[in-house]
Amino acid sequence: ASYGTPDDLKRLVDAAHLHGLSVILDVIYNHFGPDGNYLSTYAPQFFTDRHHTPWGQAVNYDGRHSAPVREFVFQNVAYWLRDFHFDGLRLDAVHAIIDVSEKNLLAELAERVRALDLGRPIRLILENEHNEARHLHRTKGKALAYTAQWNDDVHHVLHTAATGEGDSYYAEYLTDTGKLGRALAEGFAFQGEVMEFRGDRRGEPSGALPPTAFVAFVQNHDQIGNRAFGDRMAAGAAPEAVRAVTAVCLLLPQIPMLFMGDEWGSIQPFPFFCDFDGELGEAVKRGRREEFKRFAAFQSAAARESIPDPQAESTFMSAKLDWANLDAPVCQATLEWTKRLLAARRSHVIPVIPQLTHGGTFREVGQLAVMVEWTGEDGTVLRLDANLKDEAQPGFAPAGAAFWQEGEAEGPLLGPWAVRWAVQLP
């Protein structure tokens, strides 16, 4: 009850609406929590041994007795949207929902939501490691099933450019200018190619989708929390690099998302934390440290022991924003800069977005230097020139009057960490 009652949550959503804010709920239908979950005791049909997930037995969405399990999910979805007035749902890790039915859970869930008569638009957002563009298709600009997908590929290309990190799955994005341009222009960097980290093909062609089918971000709770110490980009990367990738992300015609504190440059860590009892808690702590064995910095047991204990109260407390830091001059300056960026988006990018019915095109200018263009149905062109490298690079074409410039840019030459945005009218 520390977070309040159901009625308190309803009042929170309604209060947000009075301030012109939409509220989207994060829902998890790929697994049940390992602690306090007694479903297997009184409703074993909820689970199946036919499939397995990283969290153990899969939820039974396609086997014998699966009908009431599926209906449970559909009714839960309706409950949040109808009774709590949420404006949409973000479905966690749907790639871990295993369902080989003729009509799988995701397809039927979207159909059921679209059939609800709620008198307002509902946004359905996926987190889907498989990059399945099929769920995001439109007709006459309207989403047939899902509104957008959480776009990890944009995060990965921007993160590796700004930090130079190449561990784990970052290795296939590091210094790959083609993936940088493709993720910015078309949404997915992997569109059916083999991803070595996974050992198989990943993704489907996404260039026909409008940019608004993707949610772009420089950081989020997963990408920070999955780091050993939960450190943010601003705590280690060069300030000019952080500004450059942020200026790319917040003016991108994809849907931009800021993680808490990003708007004022917080360097507060967001380490992974949990609250499990006894043996389960110890297992999570050991597992958390073991998973970093493959990283060069954590080859030794001593290095892994320095990773924060997710069970410790101090770990949880360290993840809470210290709002007093907002008063620091550097944080105030970053907040004002972010406000100017968002104002530029409102004035120059938002008016173009309805005209963008498909992805853009890109040209590689140099290493981590790209020109990206999105052409609207009326001939308007949104143009990005970006040099995400710590040295100047030539070769950019004339872009007309820029509405935003980060770093030094003069004609065809962009300085280190320089970003230039322009709109060319027909």
Side-chain angles (χ1 to χ4, degrees):
S2 59
Y3 290 104
T5 67
D7 284 340
D8 291 333
L9 179 55
K10 291 176 183 179
R11 284 191 286 269
L12 173 65
V13 174
D14 289 342
H17 289 164
L18 290 176
H19 289 276
L21 297 172
S22 296
V23 186
I24 293 175
L25 180 68
D26 190 12
V27 291
I28 302 174
Y29 297 126
N30 54 63
H31 74 287
F32 292 94
D35 190 31
N37 174 24
Y38 300 101
L39 266 173
S40 59
T41 301
Y42 66 85
Q45 68 269 29
F46 263 76
F47 303 93
T48 176
D49 288 325
R50 296 169 56 245
H51 310 302
H52 288 271
T53 75
W55 303 279
Q57 279 187 318
V59 182
N60 178 23
Y61 289 131
D62 62 0
R64 192 174 175 220
H65 305 306
S66 62
V69 182
R70 295 167 69 96
E71 189 62 27
F72 173 84
V73 170
F74 301 145
Q75 292 299 323
N76 182 252
V77 165
Y79 170 70
W80 293 122
L81 299 175
R82 182 191 60 235
D83 296 356
F84 287 78
H85 304 162
F86 281 105
D87 301 285
L89 304 173
R90 182 257 190 193
L91 279 70
D92 178 78
V94 299
H95 49 268
I97 294 176
I98 306 172
D99 180 4
V100 296
S101 304
E102 184 175 344
K103 180 179 288 185
N104 69 35
L105 185 83
L106 287 182
E108 189 171 358
L109 187 153
E111 282 187 7
R112 296 279 289 261
V113 170
R114 300 305 174 200
L116 292 173
D117 185 15
L118 297 174
R120 66 187 194 279
I122 298 297
R123 282 84 176 180
L124 294 177
I125 300 169
L126 295 176
E127 180 193 20
N128 187 359
E129 175 68 21
H130 294 330
N131 282 5
E132 293 167 322
R134 72 189 82 161
H135 297 302
L136 305 170
H137 288 165
R138 266 73 168 152
T139 179
K140 296 181 180 179
K142 184 177 180 181
L144 295 175
Y146 290 87
T147 312
Q149 177 173 316
W150 200 269
N151 195 353
D152 281 325
D153 278 354
V154 161
H155 168 271
H156 297 347
V157 295
L158 296 179
H159 180 90
T160 55
T163 66
E165 293 180 4
D167 277 325
S168 189
Y169 49 81
Y170 287 148
E172 292 171 76
Y173 296 88
L174 183 65
T175 69
D176 192 325
T177 308
K179 287 189 177 68
L180 170 65
R182 197 181 204 189
L184 299 179
E186 301 179 9
F188 295 148
F190 281 92
Q191 299 184 24
E193 298 80 13
V194 171
M195 186 175 186
E196 297 297 333
F197 180 80
R198 288 163 47 107
D200 60 7
R201 294 186 180 278
R202 176 179 176 230
E204 297 171 353
S206 59
L209 294 170
T212 50
F214 307 95
V215 177
F217 43 88
V218 173
Q219 301 189 110
N220 69 20
H221 70 286
D222 278 329
Q223 299 300 335
I224 305 173
N226 288 339
R227 298 173 66 79
F229 298 104
D231 49 311
R232 297 179 185 238
M233 182 186 292
E240 57 270 26
V242 176
R243 289 171 69 96
V245 297
T246 302
V248 169
C249 183
L250 292 190
L251 296 176
L252 203 61
Q254 297 180 28
I255 302 168
M257 182 181 74
L258 283 162
F259 184 64
M260 62 177 197
D262 280 357
E263 68 275 19
W264 45 273
S266 173
I267 60 171
Q268 193 87 26
F270 189 76
F272 175 79
F273 57 84
C274 59
D275 184 18
F276 296 137
D277 291 326
E279 189 175 322
L280 177 59
E282 284 300 312
V284 170
K285 179 171 73 173
R286 288 194 305 271
R288 173 76 177 163
R289 291 173 174 174
E290 286 298 303
E291 72 179 80
F292 284 97
K293 267 187 174 180
R294 55 186 169 178
F295 290 83
F298 297 99
Q299 293 297 300
S300 72
R304 293 194 296 277
E305 285 297 314
S306 67
I307 296 172
D309 177 0
Q311 293 284 110
E313 183 179 358
S314 58
T315 303
F316 167 69
M317 295 302 294
S318 74
K320 299 181 70 171
L321 284 178
D322 184 350
W323 289 98
N325 291 331
L326 181 55
D327 295 330
V330 66
C331 292
Q332 282 294 308
T334 300
L335 180 61
E336 290 305 313
W337 175 80
T338 304
K339 289 179 178 179
R340 293 197 302 274
L341 259 176
L342 294 176
R345 177 181 183 85
R346 187 179 305 113
S347 298
H348 300 280
V349 181
I350 296 296
V352 179
I353 285 178
Q355 300 292 328
L356 304 182
T357 58
H358 53 79
T361 60
F362 72 94
R363 176 167 74 83
E364 298 181 37
V365 178
Q367 188 178 66
L368 297 182
V370 294
M371 291 171 44
V372 187
E373 290 187 344
W374 296 265
T375 302
E377 293 291 288
D378 64 351
T380 301
V381 176
L382 176 65
R383 164 81 172 272
L384 165 65
D385 295 338
N387 174 25
L388 302 185
K389 198 170 172 59
D390 58 1
E391 60 186 46
Q393 298 197 67
F396 291 87
F403 67 83
W404 189 272
Q405 180 174 308
E406 200 65 43
E408 297 180 0
E410 187 66 39
L413 181 67
L414 261 65
W417 304 111
V419 172
R420 180 170 60 196
W421 284 95
V423 171
Q424 301 170 1
L425 299 176

